[in-house]
Amino acid sequence: MSLWASVMPIGKLLDVRACDREPIHIPGSIQPHGVLLVVDQTNDLILQATANSARLIAFDGSVIGQTLEKVVGVSLTALLQRAEIVLLREPTFLGTVGPFGGGEEFTITAHRVDGGTIVELEPAARPETATRIFAKIRSITEHMDAASDLLETCAIAVREVRQITGYDRVLIYQFLWDSSGAVISEEKEERLQSFLNHRFPEADIPKQARDLYRRNVIRVIPDVSYIPSPVLPALSPVTNQPLDMSNCVLRSVSPVHIRYLMNMRVGASMSVSLLVHDKLWGLIACHNTTKRPVTCEARETCRHVGQILSHQIRASEETDGYRLAHEFARNRAKITNALIDIEDLGDALLRLRAVLQEVVPSDGIAICCKDTVATAGNAPAESFVRQLATWLRDRAIGVEPFATDCLSIEFPEAEAFASEASGLLAIILPGDDALMLMWFRVEQVEEINWAGNPHKGVEQVASRNALDPRQSFATWKETVRGRSRPWQAAEIETVREFGPRVAFVIQQKRVRQLNIRLAELASTDSLTGLANRRSFDEHLQREWARADRTQRPLALIILDLDFFKQYNDQYGHVAGDECLKLVARALQEGRRATDLAARIGGEEFSLLLTDTEIEGAMSVAETVRDRIERLQLPHVKSPMGVVTASFGAAAATAGRTQTTEDLVRAADRALYEAKRQGRNRVVQGPTLGEDCGR
């Protein structure tokens, strides 16, 4: 919805639709300073002609049914061969013809349509030399290229076009996001009212007129008060339809537009379309208070100025776009890199909310994660954020960003928070956490200078069954509230890309957590949480190799629960599992931080101690044995009455024996010796390298 339409009575919206329905591409007439002929190229016969044809080119009788060669002295085929041109649907200059009876020469242009070829003739002025035209274009190009910014480029363009055409006023009119227009540059006679920095409502240039401006790069009305000359016959003898004059140079103008120009006190006008990426960006609009023709050469020069300016606008926008994209990408990367290092995504976003505000320029941000709401900057109250989040989820916006610069239009409850949240850019991130990010922009109260009252649009005049545009263009001020700065396409795209990037981080985290879990399952005993036999063996090999390099001692403790089969038989396997868990906890608590505790069999455990002599291993083993006994787990089948364990300890200096198996065998022998001596004790094995125990 456009800015002006949002505050207009609904009845006024009909004005725009009425203009949009006007069939301006088939007016059935032309501006009478020229002649239009429709020619059948196969036989050179004229199928249709404007009523002024015979008079203007001094032909005796009707031109319809005559050949083009007989009427203007040269056939269409000869014109095309002379110009070495293949006609398309864009009007093409073919040269000059004449002089005719009145002694006047005519320029001739042609283009193809359904039903024939349209040939247009206009009085030819004294032509400028090609050298002079090219020199002028080169000079203009150099001046525009040297401009420091786009506004200076526009100022040069309007000055040059005014000099070329001699018009009283030349301005650049930019179409805005809401289809209204703004005058951003102007060159004029001092006596005229200035329209610089004034806005014009959408109805001034309705949709189908904008479509034609996109197709017809240049349009001239040398005399606004002209009397149209009709096309005869009205229907094409080939298609039986009105002649499509969309691309005609001489096409008659909408009566509404003529009255509009008259109301502006304009006697002649010309426009040059500014196209960026094949879209209508704006116009170079030229006005004169009296009628004023523009030569074909001058039109072509102005067309080149428009093309140069269009390229400059495109380059400026692309440069700004690249700069913004780079800045936004840097901010996105900062966030996603930070998220990678934090396990809980919701917590990470909450902690990074101040940084998130930099992803796109905004005044405040809100993050909704499950039942948690966090805000930063200039954001509305938490209760409103929750209400807004519910509304957005009900709309099922998905992973596509939701963007508006007037939230209260779509969500009326937002009117109470317009000062903090007139603008909203929001996205729901994929995943189970239902994370929602909202960027807010504050209300931007705008004072707009309209060229006339925008609410007084085109009206239906019943007395003459016609549409009548507004008559006053005096400055009309309006204060617009409830809107923020609009979100740029690059900003919306940044948020659109941010969602998948965060989703990728989520996926990476889940894969990493899954891999960690799988690694734990592969290396961890599922019952006790200690290292399993596979992990113990790998760790032993690594530590043995390290000890060999550093010539540091390595110790091993192996322990086995006493009479554990009888414990299971007496108390059951569930109680047996609980007993193993408690023993594992005692083992963990009794070890040093650098020691590895493992469950290497049913009721058999081990402790691998780095940089430890046999005396140190004996001390650790005794600490763990005492902890297990202090658990006081009843065991009626044990002579001790409680669960106990037997320990064997051995040490080695790597490299002085052949394999790690020697160390394991030495500790195992000490364990069996402990059991033979009566259990619940620690027995010291040999230190390998001094006595291998063989």
Side-chain angles (χ1 to χ4, degrees):
M1 184 174 290
S2 70
L3 176 61
W4 66 275
S6 68
V7 292
M8 288 178 71
I10 189 65
K12 289 293 183 183
L13 296 178
L14 298 175
D15 298 342
V16 182
R17 291 194 286 271
C19 290
D20 285 344
R21 290 193 298 269
E22 189 182 8
I24 62 176
H25 65 297
I26 50 171
S29 61
I30 66 165
Q31 300 176 60
H33 65 279
V35 170
L36 182 145
L37 307 172
V38 181
V39 179
D40 185 341
Q41 190 176 342
T42 62
N43 54 24
D44 207 40
L45 289 179
I46 297 173
L47 305 176
Q48 292 173 279
T50 49
N52 65 342
S53 300
R55 176 183 56 80
L56 208 61
I57 58 179
F59 186 81
D60 187 15
S62 174
V63 301
I64 297 175
Q66 305 294 332
T67 64
L68 184 65
E69 183 176 14
K70 183 176 181 180
V71 173
V72 302
V74 61
S75 69
L76 180 58
T77 301
L79 283 168
L80 296 176
Q81 289 174 346
R82 187 171 69 186
E84 298 182 346
I85 285 173
V86 176
L87 282 185
L88 299 173
R89 292 184 177 268
E90 179 74 16
T92 304
F93 176 71
L94 299 181
T96 60
V97 293
F100 301 118
E104 194 169 18
E105 288 190 335
F106 286 78
T107 61
I108 188 165
T109 58
H111 69 281
R112 295 199 182 280
V113 293
D114 295 337
T117 299
I118 291 180
V119 175
E120 297 178 85
L121 294 90
E122 296 179 81
R126 183 178 178 180
E128 289 190 85
T129 64
T131 302
R132 183 180 176 86
I133 293 172
F134 288 140
K136 182 66 174 175
I137 292 173
R138 184 172 62 252
S139 174
I140 293 170
T141 303
E142 289 173 353
H143 279 90
M144 294 176 70
D145 285 344
S148 60
D149 56 32
L150 185 57
L151 282 179
E152 185 181 348
T153 306
C154 290
I156 295 170
V158 294
R159 185 177 66 243
E160 295 292 348
V161 170
R162 185 166 177 236
Q163 184 180 15
I164 293 165
T165 62
Y167 272 54
D168 296 333
R169 183 204 309 273
V170 177
L171 54 83
I172 290 180
Y173 180 97
Q174 179 186 0
F175 290 103
L176 304 182
W177 59 272
D178 62 351
S179 296
S180 67
V183 177
I184 63 172
S185 188
E186 182 182 52
E187 181 83 10
K188 68 176 186 67
E189 291 278 359
E190 289 186 6
R191 59 186 170 81
L192 298 178
Q193 173 194 351
S194 176
F195 291 135
L196 185 62
N197 299 322
H198 281 56
R199 294 270 283 275
F200 290 76
E202 176 186 9
D204 283 12
I205 305 179
K207 180 181 181 301
Q208 90 279 28
R210 292 194 298 273
D211 290 341
L212 284 179
Y213 277 125
R214 189 178 61 80
R215 294 170 62 177
N216 302 146
V217 174
I218 193 162
R219 291 286 294 139
V220 180
I221 309 173
D223 183 3
V224 167
S225 61
Y226 74 88
I227 299 173
S229 181
V231 176
L232 302 174
L235 299 181
S236 166
V238 177
T239 65
N240 200 36
Q241 296 292 324
L243 183 65
D244 184 351
M245 303 175 69
S246 297
N247 293 334
C248 290
V249 175
L250 296 170
R251 172 172 52 83
S252 193
V253 184
S254 159
V256 178
H257 187 56
I258 291 296
R259 292 192 63 83
Y260 179 89
L261 292 173
M262 288 180 171
N263 291 346
M264 288 186 77
R265 307 297 187 266
V266 171
S269 78
M270 184 183 81
S271 65
V272 180
S273 302
L274 301 174
L275 301 176
V276 177
H277 297 294
D278 202 35
K279 294 181 179 179
L280 187 63
W281 184 92
L283 300 169
I284 301 176
C286 310
H287 294 158
N288 207 63
T289 52
T290 58
K291 63 182 181 180
R292 185 173 185 85
V294 181
T295 66
C296 183
E297 291 84 1
R299 289 203 307 259
E300 286 303 309
T301 304
C302 291
R303 182 197 295 264
H304 279 288
V305 173
Q307 289 176 339
I308 295 166
L309 181 55
S310 295
H311 289 315
Q312 296 273 20
I313 292 167
R314 176 173 177 170
S316 176
E317 290 187 349
E318 288 179 347
T319 299
D320 289 344
Y322 291 145
R323 179 182 56 79
L324 287 174
H326 177 72
E327 182 180 335
F328 295 159
R330 187 178 67 248
N331 291 336
R332 283 199 311 265
K334 186 190 302 183
I335 296 292
T336 50
N337 290 339
L339 292 177
I340 291 172
D341 298 327
I342 304 175
E343 287 304 319
D344 186 273
L345 184 66
D347 178 62
L349 290 173
L350 294 175
R351 288 163 55 184
L352 294 169
R353 58 185 182 270
V355 184
L356 275 169
Q357 193 175 335
E358 300 176 8
V359 171
V360 291
S362 59
D363 300 303
I365 189 171
I367 301 168
C368 301
C369 179
K370 297 179 180 177
D371 294 329
T372 303
V373 171
T375 61
N378 199 344
E382 180 180 326
S383 58
F384 172 74
V385 172
R386 292 184 184 277
Q387 189 179 3
L388 182 57
T390 301
W391 177 74
L392 288 169
R393 287 197 174 94
D394 289 344
R395 286 175 61 100
I397 64 172
V399 294
E400 277 298 303
F402 172 85
T404 178
D405 61 355
C406 188
L407 182 58
S408 59
I409 287 181
E410 303 195 54
F411 186 54
E413 292 85 343
E415 188 172 351
F417 295 91
S419 59
E420 299 96 350
S422 284
L424 171 67
L425 179 56
I427 190 169
I428 298 176
L429 302 182
D432 299 332
D433 294 328
L435 279 163
M436 183 183 293
L437 305 180
M438 304 179 196
W439 287 267
F440 298 105
R441 280 183 177 167
V442 301
E443 180 183 41
Q444 182 173 284
V445 179
E446 186 176 10
E447 293 285 344
I448 298 177
N449 290 327
W450 293 99
N453 184 347
H455 310 318
K456 185 173 176 56
V458 180
E459 296 178 346
Q460 185 77 33
V461 181
S463 61
R464 50 190 173 87
N465 191 28
L467 298 171
D468 198 25
R470 72 183 190 278
Q471 297 187 16
S472 173
F473 292 86
T475 300
W476 195 90
K477 294 184 180 292
E478 181 177 31
T479 301
V480 178
R481 306 191 68 94
R483 287 190 178 275
S484 70
R485 283 184 301 119
W487 302 99
Q488 296 184 39
E491 295 168 338
I492 297 172
E493 185 61 27
T494 288
V495 170
R496 179 181 286 110
E497 292 182 5
F498 185 63
R501 288 173 185 270
V502 173
F504 179 69
V505 172
I506 294 172
Q507 184 181 28
Q508 280 189 317
K509 285 179 177 292
R510 288 176 177 166
V511 169
R512 185 171 64 189
Q513 290 168 351
L514 181 60
N515 287 337
I516 291 172
R517 179 60 181 154
L518 290 173
E520 288 175 349
L521 291 174
S523 62
T524 305
D525 176 61
S526 59
L527 178 64
T528 63
L530 301 180
N532 59 18
R533 181 59 186 256
R534 174 185 172 184
S535 179
F536 168 77
D537 289 341
E538 292 174 352
H539 201 77
L540 176 59
Q541 293 296 334
R542 286 196 301 272
E543 290 302 326
W544 184 270
R546 189 178 71 85
D548 186 27
R549 290 193 307 272
T550 60
Q551 291 296 297
R552 300 292 296 168
L554 186 65
L556 175 64
I557 299 169
I558 299 178
L559 63 116
D560 185 82
L561 297 185
D562 299 326
F563 306 108
F564 191 68
K565 181 180 182 303
Q566 291 84 346
Y567 186 91
N568 271 336
D569 292 343
Q570 177 68 30
Y571 300 102
H573 288 284
V574 173
D577 288 347
E578 289 302 315
C579 175
L580 291 172
K581 291 178 185 178
L582 292 170
V583 169
R585 185 183 303 168
L587 188 61
Q588 288 278 48
E589 293 171 351
R591 71 179 179 88
R592 301 172 308 181
T594 55
D595 301 337
L596 174 72
R599 182 186 177 201
I600 57 176
E603 65 271 20
E604 193 171 13
F605 298 84
S606 65
L607 270 174
L608 185 62
L609 298 86
T610 58
D611 298 328
T612 304
E613 303 282 1
I614 188 63
E615 294 79 12
M618 290 294 291
S619 175
V620 171
E622 181 57 34
T623 298
V624 174
R625 186 205 65 78
D626 182 62
R627 281 181 175 275
I628 293 173
E629 186 174 14
R630 287 176 179 275
L631 291 173
Q632 292 294 296
L633 297 176
H635 189 352
V636 296
K637 298 294 186 178
S638 170
M640 282 69 75
V642 294
V643 172
T644 57
S646 299
F647 291 72
T653 299
R656 297 181 183 176
T657 185
Q658 293 182 350
T659 67
T660 55
E661 293 178 0
D662 294 312
L663 180 62
V664 173
R665 189 179 301 114
D668 206 33
R669 286 176 179 173
L671 167 63
Y672 280 101
E673 179 61 23
K675 287 193 176 288
R676 190 186 67 78
Q677 293 181 15
R679 294 181 169 81
N680 191 25
R681 66 194 63 223
V682 178
V683 170
Q684 176 181 330
T687 297
L688 303 181
E690 298 174 357
D691 180 0
C692 292
R694 294 177 179 153

